[in-house]
Structures are given as structure tokens and as C-alpha cells.
Amino acid sequence: MTRVAALINQKGGVGKTTTAVNLAAGVAELGRRVLLIDLDPQAHSTLHLGVDPASVDRSVYDVLLEDPRETDPATAIVRTRERLGLLAAETDLAAIESELAGVPDRSTRLSRAIEPLKSEYEFIFVDCPPSLGLLTLNALAMVREVVVPMQAHYLALQGMGKLLETVTLIGRGVNPRLRVTGVVLCQHEETTKLSKEVVADMEAFFKGSREKDVPWKGARVMRPAIRRNVKLAECPSFGKTIFEYAPQCPGALDYLALARGFVEEWDRLLAKRADPGPADAAPEVVVKPGAAAESRR
């Protein structure tokens, strides 16, 4: 009974890992129990949180290969911060596609492994590799939501079409409840003409999808946009989140506001489901009741 979201963009260098780590850390800052799953063989989320992949006894690689009926995936979780757990990545993940070749349930291995952990966490975020291979398919088979971090550039806008096509295919087969929540604008410069035009195009596209039977019918450009901020690029080298490295910088303020909106949206949905009304387009979820989203004082 957890909100589970994958952060996906097949284009590298768009702020995907930065968003995965700092959105997860921001939700934890607001008092919620969070698990971050690093599915990228580059292990950038793992390194960002100050964890050396070589020092981890068991990683997501082991979890994908093991039978969840015989091993406990919880023993692979690294407690990096208060309320923030990490299922770390390692470079061996790059070989997972060949190692699982011929395995009948290879696209749902992650879903089966993580299911017992959902009672321990209110939010689970998955940092996916910049590709649409087996690892990303495992993420899409498990989650209910897709969040797309991207820059407001035309090439990034064009690349989103391929991702939406993949989400549609997974929704028709393995995971019919899969939905696209929206786009997080990263390294954003809202005053430039290009940014304004790309954002306007995205908003028009999502608005035009409201009445269509597509997984992104409820998607939106999520706010606030994450402003370009050098502190966000610096903090991974210290193994820190932006809230630990520079808590008052624009990047920290933006990610905390984004996390607060993410949590409050979930609380509203919880309240709405406690008092049933008209069907909602958002994914069906249940979150631990009661805790109001407040920033750390």
C-alpha cells in the first residue's frame, strides 16, 4: 500500500538521477518512509547518497537474480538516512539482460521481489537507466506511476514520444494500471524563449490528451520547475543530498517544494478514497493516513 513511481528518461544528462535522489530525500525530509531503488548499472544514485557500490554485500542485482521465496530482499537495503533506505546498484547490472535470458518471468522479477517491502515504506522511487531495456521494463512492470525528468529542449520533447509509446505497450500487457504522472523540468531557465515554447508545447499536448484513453491522460508539467543551480551538480561528489549540502540554495528549495506537492497530492487522494466520490483518473493507491506534509524546521 505504497506510492511507487519510476523516474525515466532514455536521454542521459537530463537530471534524472538528481531528481530521483533529491525527490526521495525531500519526501523523507517531510517525515515519510522512503525507499530509493537504483536500477542504473552506473550506480549514480548509490554514489550520490555516499554509498560505495563495491562495499555493498547485496545489491538490486542479487535481488533480481534470487528467488524472493527463498531470500529476504529487505536484507539488501542500505539505511542511508533516517527514513531513507537504498537498494543499491552495481556495475554487474549491465549483464542482467543476458543472465535472465530465457527466464519466463524476467520482466516481473523486480515486482515480485519488492512486493513484501511495500508495508515498510510509504513511497518507493526507482531510478531507471537511460535506456528502455530489461531493467526499465522491470521498473514499469512494478510501478503505478512514471515521472519524466527532462530539460525544456526540443530534442528532449521529441524523445518523450518513444517513452510514451513504451508505457502504452507495457500498459496493454504486463501492467494495465501504469500511468504517467507528469514531467519534472530540470536545469530550468524559465526566462528563455526556447524554454517557454517547449513548456507551452508540453502543456498543450497533455491538455489535448485529457479526453483520450491513454496512460498520460492525467499527466501535467509538475511544479515547481527545478532551476539551474551549480550546487545540485556539486553535492554528489560529497555523497550528500542537496538538503545536506546546501539546504538554502534554489535547488534545495525547489526539490523540497516538489516533494511537498508530491506528498500533499497523495494525502488528498487518500482523503478522497476514505470518502468515496466520482472515479479519479489518478492511480489507485493507499498511503498511511494522518501525517501532514511539513518541511523540517
Side-chain angles (χ1 to χ4, degrees):
M1 311 304 290
T2 305
R3 185 172 192 177
V4 188
L7 289 97
I8 299 177
N9 195 321
Q10 70 270 33
K11 188 177 187 300
V14 297
K16 176 180 59 62
T17 293
T18 299
T19 298
V21 170
N22 290 304
L23 178 58
V27 173
E29 288 279 311
L30 297 171
R32 305 305 177 95
R33 300 188 310 276
V34 183
L35 174 63
L36 176 62
I37 301 174
D38 189 354
L39 268 189
D40 191 341
Q42 299 175 98
H44 286 173
S45 281
T46 301
L47 293 166
H48 197 323
L49 288 173
V51 178
D52 181 0
S55 69
V56 177
D57 293 331
R58 296 175 65 228
S59 70
V60 69
Y61 170 77
D62 301 292
V63 169
L64 286 168
L65 289 180
E66 296 166 350
D67 187 335
R69 295 169 296 184
E70 299 176 0
T71 58
D72 183 3
T75 61
I77 294 175
V78 181
R79 306 290 176 180
T80 65
R81 312 291 192 279
E82 184 180 6
R83 298 183 299 274
L84 178 58
L86 169 70
L87 189 50
E90 59 175 299
T91 54
D92 286 348
L93 266 177
I96 199 72
E97 192 144 359
S98 60
E99 296 205 36
L100 290 180
V103 177
D105 64 343
R106 65 189 195 128
S107 64
T108 57
R109 302 282 292 190
L110 185 64
S111 181
R112 290 181 58 197
I114 297 305
E115 189 62 33
L117 302 177
K118 289 184 178 179
S119 61
E120 300 297 323
Y121 297 95
E122 298 170 87
F123 295 84
I124 296 177
F125 297 99
V126 186
D127 181 18
C128 297
S131 66
L132 298 176
L134 180 61
L135 290 169
T136 299
L137 291 179
N138 264 270
L140 292 176
M142 182 188 76
V143 305
R144 295 293 303 279
E145 303 177 55
V146 171
V147 175
V148 185
M150 63 176 285
Q151 293 175 259
H153 296 169
Y154 277 118
L155 290 179
L157 187 63
Q158 295 298 317
M160 192 168 65
K162 182 65 175 178
L163 175 58
L164 295 180
E165 180 182 326
T166 301
V167 170
T168 301
L169 292 174
I170 296 296
R172 288 174 181 170
V174 179
N175 188 358
R177 293 182 173 183
L178 186 62
R179 297 291 182 268
V180 178
T181 298
V183 167
V184 175
L185 296 169
C186 302
Q187 303 175 47
H188 194 58
E189 296 174 308
E190 61 182 11
T191 58
T192 67
K193 181 180 179 181
L194 174 62
S195 293
K196 291 178 180 178
E197 290 177 350
V198 172
V199 172
D201 286 348
M202 281 192 290
E203 290 178 333
F205 172 74
F206 288 142
K207 183 177 180 181
S209 303
R210 293 288 180 261
E211 304 302 321
K212 299 179 181 179
D213 185 19
V214 291
W216 55 90
K217 64 182 297 183
R220 66 195 186 280
V221 177
M222 302 174 74
R223 303 292 184 183
I226 310 302
R227 289 168 284 181
R228 184 178 293 277
N229 181 210
V230 70
K231 298 296 185 183
L232 289 169
E234 294 173 356
C235 61
S237 63
F238 295 91
K240 294 182 177 181
T241 71
I242 193 60
F243 308 109
E244 297 162 336
Y245 182 71
Q248 298 304 318
C249 75
L253 299 178
D254 290 343
Y255 273 117
L256 187 60
L258 185 69
R260 183 179 295 112
F262 203 78
V263 170
E264 290 177 347
E265 176 186 58
W266 221 235
D267 285 345
R268 287 194 298 269
L269 181 58
L270 172 65
K272 185 174 182 178
R273 293 192 177 279
D275 181 18
D280 197 290
E284 181 181 338
V285 294
V286 176
V287 187
K288 181 180 177 182
E294 296 182 359
S295 61
R296 186 177 63 179
R297 299 183 183 278

